[in-house]
Amino acid sequence: MNKRSLWIIIGGVIIAILVIVGILITQKPTPKEKVVKIGAVLPLTGAAADIGQKAKRGLEIAEKELKIKVIYEDSGSDPKQGLSAFRKLITTERDLVGVISMLSGVGNAIIPIAETEKVVTLHIASAPEMVTGKKFSFRWYITSKEQMKAVVKYLHQQNVSEKSRIAFLFINDEYGRGALKEFTESFKEQFGVEPNLVSEAYEKEQTDFKNILVKLKTFNPEILAIVGYNKSLGILLKQMREQKIEPRILTGDDAISYPEILQVAGNAADGFVFPGLPLEPKEGEQVSQFFQIYKEQFNEPVSDFALFAYGMAHMFYHCVINGAKTSEEIANCLETNVFSTPIGEVSFNRETHDGNVPLRMKEIKGGEVIEHK
């Protein structure tokens, strides 16, 4: 090879390198789309594991739809464990945009830390006024206050009098005690007097209700209201029917509609009237695609816990992609925006930090949830 040929080859290589370098310099790198990272403290084990798993399913659907990543921690259905889980999340995951929490006890445990550390939290919980006056803590769920007001309104429509004998059975935690308080206050507001009421608490893992039912039978209530959120509620209803306790009106919160509770209760739940979300669309109503996706993916009806968790993930994502970066900006976004959800538009009250929730009266018949007429 002569010198001329060699220089031609070298010149060609140099030109090729310059062309490649020029392309690399002029070509702007495509910015990588930011992944929105959300924390979730859910009861994946323990007494409330059934509902915690449902919330997780809702978040899994959101993860497939949006550019988000959810970091899960298990509260074990216990406030102390939930607080530890929350501390771990905010310590190890510094780039979280916010945290989703479940259960009133867990929420009340983590809210003081969330406020001090400026961590925006969205709570699936029912205890009264748990986020009122807070800056970074919000709640989107059916509150015990809303449910008990709806129950008392229903009783008034059923010609219940201020002298009617009422028994109120409640799960022994912050949610249950709060529901009893709200029922009593709503009754006094609606009827003008305190209810003629006996109340009994039951434990989360309780399976033998003999002592409670003996008292109930002696009192012979015209109205029986029961609130809870796990299988103990179903067991209680079965044992109540076995003892031939048949109140004129059987009512309570929407937990009776959870499939795992209905399965345990069987026919004992028939006639139970309660306020719930519009999860069973009426004929002619437009249905969110979320309902179809959930049923196809998990082969079960949509749970309200799945729906709320799914909606919360969308809320956080909406705020971040619209420019909210700091905790203050995300909190302000939640306070000032209207969010589209599978059950309609949702906004948060600036003072109470509660998101609005539509309710309908429903009834259990033949093991199925139907609209109450």
Side-chain angles (χ1 to χ4, degrees):
M1 180 183 293
N2 57 36
K3 288 184 177 181
R4 178 182 173 83
S5 299
L6 180 61
W7 281 111
I8 291 173
I9 293 171
I10 293 172
V13 171
I14 291 172
I15 290 170
I17 291 171
L18 290 173
V19 169
I20 293 170
V21 171
I23 291 171
L24 292 174
I25 291 173
T26 57
Q27 188 181 47
K28 292 182 180 179
T30 303
K32 191 174 182 181
E33 189 178 353
K34 182 180 179 181
V35 175
V36 177
K37 192 183 287 187
I38 301 168
V41 179
L42 306 180
L44 302 176
T45 59
D50 287 332
I51 61 177
Q53 292 293 342
K54 292 181 187 303
K56 187 171 184 287
R57 290 169 193 162
L59 291 173
E60 288 170 356
I61 294 176
E63 283 187 280
K64 291 178 180 178
E65 291 181 357
L66 308 171
K67 199 76 174 178
I68 67 170
K69 180 175 177 59
V70 182
I71 311 299
Y72 298 96
E73 288 293 338
D74 180 18
S75 71
S77 308
D78 176 73
K80 289 183 179 179
Q81 186 174 326
L83 178 57
S84 297
F86 179 73
R87 288 185 185 276
K88 179 182 175 183
L89 265 179
I90 64 175
T91 301
T92 60
E93 305 289 342
R94 303 301 297 181
D95 54 347
L96 292 175
V97 301
V99 176
I100 295 169
S101 162
M102 280 188 72
L103 302 182
S104 298
V106 173
N108 280 326
I110 71 175
I111 283 173
I113 308 302
E115 293 293 308
T116 301
E117 299 297 326
K118 298 183 178 180
V119 179
V120 180
T121 53
L122 280 169
H123 297 270
I124 304 172
S126 298
E129 301 178 355
M130 62 184 293
V131 294
T132 298
K134 301 299 187 292
K135 185 172 182 179
F136 299 101
S137 306
F138 297 77
R139 185 242 306 277
W140 185 41
Y141 190 62
I142 312 171
T143 65
S144 55
K145 184 173 186 176
E146 289 172 325
Q147 289 201 85
M148 293 305 104
K149 274 194 169 185
V151 166
V152 171
K153 182 179 178 181
Y154 166 71
L155 294 181
H156 192 264
Q157 292 168 345
Q158 300 302 307
N159 297 319
V160 170
S161 75
E162 62 274 12
K163 295 181 180 179
S164 296
R165 294 184 307 280
I166 303 172
F168 195 99
L169 308 182
F170 60 97
I171 196 161
N172 192 18
D173 64 6
E174 289 183 72
Y175 167 63
R177 291 187 290 273
L180 172 62
K181 177 177 177 288
E182 295 296 347
F183 178 88
T184 304
E185 290 179 356
S186 294
F187 190 95
K188 188 174 181 180
E189 183 180 322
Q190 180 77 56
F191 289 87
V193 295
E194 295 278 351
N196 177 19
L197 179 144
V198 296
S199 61
E200 290 286 338
Y202 66 92
E203 303 303 323
K204 294 178 184 178
E205 305 291 347
Q206 191 165 337
T207 56
D208 184 353
F209 295 91
K210 183 178 179 181
N211 291 337
I212 291 177
L213 294 176
V214 167
K215 295 178 184 177
L216 202 61
K217 203 163 187 176
T218 301
F219 183 64
N220 189 27
E222 180 185 354
I223 298 100
L224 173 59
I226 311 177
V227 299
Y229 50 74
N230 66 357
K231 293 178 181 178
S232 290
L233 173 57
I235 297 170
L236 171 56
L237 282 169
K238 278 193 85 169
Q239 294 183 12
M240 180 198 79
R241 298 294 192 187
E242 289 168 359
Q243 292 298 316
K244 309 297 183 186
I245 297 172
E246 300 290 345
R248 178 171 77 86
I249 297 174
L250 178 61
T251 187
D253 63 2
D254 68 326
I256 189 61
S257 64
Y258 304 165
E260 62 276 10
I261 294 177
L262 270 181
Q263 185 177 8
V264 172
N267 293 335
D270 280 4
F272 196 112
V273 178
F274 64 96
L277 292 174
L279 299 180
E280 303 80 23
K282 294 179 179 179
E283 186 177 349
E285 284 186 330
Q286 187 175 2
V287 180
S288 166
Q289 196 175 14
F290 169 75
F291 288 85
Q292 182 179 348
I293 293 171
Y294 187 94
K295 289 178 181 178
E296 288 176 355
Q297 189 166 333
F298 300 109
N299 194 32
E300 66 180 24
V302 171
S303 157
D304 54 354
F305 297 101
L307 185 149
F308 284 116
Y310 170 86
M312 288 174 172
H314 274 262
M315 291 173 186
F316 274 131
Y317 184 76
H318 171 90
C319 289
V320 173
I321 65 170
N322 282 284
K325 296 178 181 179
T326 66
S327 295
E328 287 82 0
E329 289 171 344
I330 293 171
N332 182 65
C333 172
L334 292 172
E335 282 187 342
T336 58
N337 279 269
V338 177
F339 301 93
S340 179
T341 79
I343 53 172
E345 293 188 334
V346 173
S347 60
F348 288 91
N349 182 293
R350 277 176 170 259
E351 294 181 4
T352 67
H353 273 197
D354 282 325
N356 59 289
V357 178
L359 291 178
R360 295 175 179 169
M361 293 308 292
K362 301 180 179 185
E363 184 176 357
I364 305 297
K365 276 195 176 180
E368 300 289 330
V369 179
I370 64 170
E371 291 287 328
H372 179 69
K373 296 179 181 179

